[in-house]
Amino acid sequence: NIIELMVNTESIPESFIRADSGIDERTESGLNRSEKAAADEESEESFNLEFIEKKYILKVLSLHNGNISLCAKTLGIGRNTLYRKMECYGIKCSEAEQCSNL
């Protein structure tokens, strides 16, 4: 729902901006240019749709100990679609198994 809201409105609601993004309004003026650029790049990447989807797939794979069938069912997609997304994002089955060990 959050992703759909972001796509439809082309913005991110203030309530969903992470507090741990590394940018604090009180200290932002104290950052040098390279630190600010790095923080801005991290912030932009964390709201990239593909980045969010990849992290969510990894989280669900971890939740189900790398079980592709259960992960696909939880995500509401078919196993083939999940395999396709994993290939697209460079998620290997061995990586999914490693996620389960976290």
Side-chain angles (χ1 to χ4, degrees):
N1 289 337
I2 293 169
I3 293 171
E4 185 176 309
L5 174 66
M6 290 187 312
V7 169
N8 290 336
T9 62
E10 296 180 3
S11 66
I12 301 165
E14 288 290 324
S15 61
F16 293 109
I17 296 179
R18 296 185 337 192
D20 64 342
S21 66
I23 301 174
D24 186 359
E25 291 178 4
R26 292 167 290 169
T27 62
E28 184 173 331
S29 61
L31 295 176
N32 66 32
R33 290 182 186 183
S34 62
E35 289 173 333
K36 181 161 177 28
D40 288 344
E41 184 177 311
E42 178 184 319
S43 178
E44 286 177 19
E45 183 179 79
S46 65
F47 294 115
N48 181 327
L49 186 58
E50 288 86 16
F51 180 80
I52 292 171
E53 186 175 41
K54 178 180 179 180
K55 290 297 181 186
Y56 189 65
I57 289 171
L58 286 169
K59 182 177 181 179
V60 175
L61 280 167
S62 175
L63 177 71
H64 293 298
N65 299 319
N67 185 315
I68 300 294
S69 296
L70 287 175
C71 180
K73 185 175 182 179
T74 300
L75 294 170
I77 59 176
R79 282 183 17 181
N80 289 339
T81 302
L82 179 56
Y83 278 120
R84 202 173 318 112
K85 288 181 180 289
M86 288 173 65
E87 182 179 340
C88 177
Y89 296 134
I91 301 171
K92 308 240 184 294
C93 288
S94 60
E95 186 178 340
E97 292 168 4
Q98 289 173 0
C99 287
S100 68
N101 295 330
L102 297 178

